[in-house]
Amino acid sequence: MARHLLSKLDRGGLAVALLAGAAAGLGQIPWSLWPISLLGFAAILWNAARAPTAKAAALRAWLSGSAYFLLTLNWITEPFQVEAERDAWMAPFALFFMATGLGLFWAGAGALSAPLRRFMPAAGAMALMLAGLEALRGVIFTGFPWALPGHIWIGFAPAQLASLAGAGGLTLLTLTLAALPALWRSRGLAAALVLLGAVWGFGHWRLSDPLPPAREAVIRLVQPDADQALKWHPDYARMFFERHLDLSAAAPGEAGVPDLIVWPETSVPVLLNDPGRALDVILEATGGIPVALGIQREVGVRFYNSLALLGPKDDGTAEVRAVYDKHQLVPFGEYIPGGDLVADWLGVFSFSPAAGYGYSAGPAPELISLGGALGTFQPLICYEAVFPWFQRATGRPEWLLQITNDAWFGVKSGPFQHLGLARLRAVESGLPMMRVANTGVSAVIGPRGEILAELGMKQQGIIDHALPAALPPTLYSRIGPAAPVLLWFFAAMLLIFRRRAFNH
């Protein structure tokens, strides 16, 4: 019976699915092996297209997706190691269910592509459905647009295509390059090389264009390297707080005296609504230079993950000039779906908050105006930099500020993938980003995604850097998801009307 079942499931097709999914994942940061990734995606499309039934195509695609996410999202196990004695047993289950659950989007692409074979080549149908379902993954159920196929280009010239069509356009590019040889054999391979050369040339042209002069403002980014397992421990919290103070009070570098100092997410071990003298001590250390910092606050029974802007009053004491509450929270990381009911019954707690079962979401993205050379910025707290729609939810700022605590995600892949997504947001918007992280990577990111200065993982230190100027609004920042949607429909029409030209 078992042998009959394995035969029925097509062991060869399933083995190819697993290997191809893992190969496709090697294009993601930190490996960034985009040629291997393209070969993996080509094998995924070819394998699903050859499946005899819709169910077989769905199963092959699901296995490919599961292998892809097992590799690319391996960092999801890291938060369970912070308090390993309590949580480590859950790590393999979290990774397995995350990977296989996200793989269902790929399974849906396989199932939906099978009926379309009547109208277009099978590999093309699979590429279109996978691009569409990956876009859906970025918005449905609060969205998780992490490790999209198009992210393999982050750090390479083709990533500049995101200024026109966003991450969705990069995903279409990736799957088009993978599908062309399967659709058109040697002619398809030649077409893929021409397309890749054209996009690479566009990227080099955009990167070679001179940047506008930097603004006349200097920002200091403070990276304390506070170990997550010790961060809230009573014996260490004061030490980490004093480390922030010492770094903030360091003598100015060549860039000049800072106009603003930035601390990472949840960097202050007190609540904003009950700080004692902590806020005054911070401004005493900076000599009155304003500070933007991550801090928690309590309102009634609710806790918020917030960014607060501190400035001096006339008497030198601190006042809170602006507060932004994080709007896009991490499911299970910062809040528990189902709230107290789930936490009480199942003993499931969110990781990040220092108190309570989780955070409450702030009302909406917003802008904070500093005036003068510092202008107006949009605050992004950690996970919010993953979502391109944030920059279209407000008026256009002059720069982006991300404060984050990536200490939860180890030192191998998660923090570097998060940095890559921040770079992509800069490309899409044409806005520079100042990024400060607790344990790394803190960076000054130019408006085309270039890293102008950085502090690596597990380093203590500061970056003093002039605030880069913004570029004019990009096409993608003007029309948003309409650009990749139009490209998707164009590709679909092309496949339908040119079906006879392809060998399949």
Side-chain angles (χ1 to χ4, degrees), residues 4 7 21 72 121 159 161 172 174 197 223 237 251 302 314 334 365 403 406 408 421-422 429 470 485:
H4 173 72
S7 176
T72 59
L161 182 66
L172 277 171
T174 304
Q223 181 170 300
R302 296 184 179 275
D314 292 339
E334 293 182 305
I403 61 171
D406 291 351
W408 287 104
L421 293 173
S429 62
V485 168

Side-chain angles (χ1 to χ4, degrees), residues 4 18-19 31 34 75 116 120 135 180 185-186 189 210 251 283 285 292-293 305 359 372 437 457 469 473 488 497:
H4 173 72
L18 288 169
L19 291 172
W31 308 282
W34 62 264
W75 52 264
L116 294 179
M120 62 181 68
L180 279 171
R185 298 183 183 175
S186 60
L189 178 59
L283 281 196
L293 50 78
N305 184 0
Y359 293 126
M457 291 298 301
W488 190 92
F497 289 117

Side-chain angles (χ1 to χ4, degrees), residues 298-384:
E298 181 183 12
V299 180
V301 297
R302 296 184 179 275
F303 284 84
Y304 294 91
N305 184 0
S306 306
L307 177 145
L309 177 64
L310 307 183
K313 298 179 183 177
D314 292 339
D315 62 2
T317 59
E319 67 174 350
V320 178
R321 294 181 175 177
V323 176
Y324 167 70
D325 296 320
K326 186 175 182 182
H327 174 67
Q328 187 80 28
L329 301 177
V330 182
F332 297 101
E334 293 182 305
Y335 77 99
I336 300 298
D340 294 354
L341 182 66
V342 173
D344 287 336
W345 284 13
L346 301 181
V348 177
F349 295 84
S350 53
F351 287 109
S352 297
Y357 290 143
Y359 293 126
S360 296
E366 61 184 68
L367 304 181
I368 294 177
S369 178
L370 298 171
L374 287 167
T376 300
F377 72 90
Q378 182 180 48
L380 302 168
I381 301 180
C382 190
Y383 186 57
E384 293 178 328

Side-chain angles (χ1 to χ4, degrees), residues 10-20 47 63:
D10 181 12
R11 285 174 289 182
L14 301 186
V16 170
L18 288 169
L19 291 172
N47 195 38
L63 286 176

Side-chain angles (χ1 to χ4, degrees), residues 28 56 63 73 143 197 200 204 213 223 233 365 453:
Q28 296 291 337
L63 286 176
L73 302 182
W200 211 288
H204 272 298
Q223 181 170 300
H233 194 286

Side-chain angles (χ1 to χ4, degrees), residues 217-265:
V218 174
I219 296 180
R220 171 170 292 183
L221 308 180
V222 174
Q223 181 170 300
D225 188 28
D227 185 274
Q228 188 59 47
L230 303 175
K231 183 177 178 181
W232 302 119
H233 194 286
D235 295 338
Y236 292 91
R238 182 178 182 87
M239 180 191 74
F240 290 137
F241 180 64
E242 291 176 348
R243 185 179 295 176
H244 283 87
L245 296 176
D246 292 342
L247 292 170
S248 299
E254 294 182 2
V257 177
D259 297 282
L260 177 70
I261 297 172
V262 186
W263 290 12
E265 178 186 19

Side-chain angles (χ1 to χ4, degrees), residues 34 153 155-164 195-211 427 448 450:
W34 62 264
W153 304 110
F156 299 99
Q160 299 302 312
L161 182 66
S163 65
L164 303 178
L195 176 59
L196 179 58
V199 175
W200 211 288
F202 167 76
H204 272 298
W205 168 77
R206 191 167 189 268
L207 288 168
S208 65
D209 202 29
L211 285 172
V427 177
R448 297 176 302 208
E450 321 97 313

Side-chain angles (χ1 to χ4, degrees), residues 9 39 74 165 169 206 271 284 496:
L9 290 178
L39 291 174
N74 63 78
R206 191 167 189 268
L271 295 173
E284 289 171 8
I496 291 171

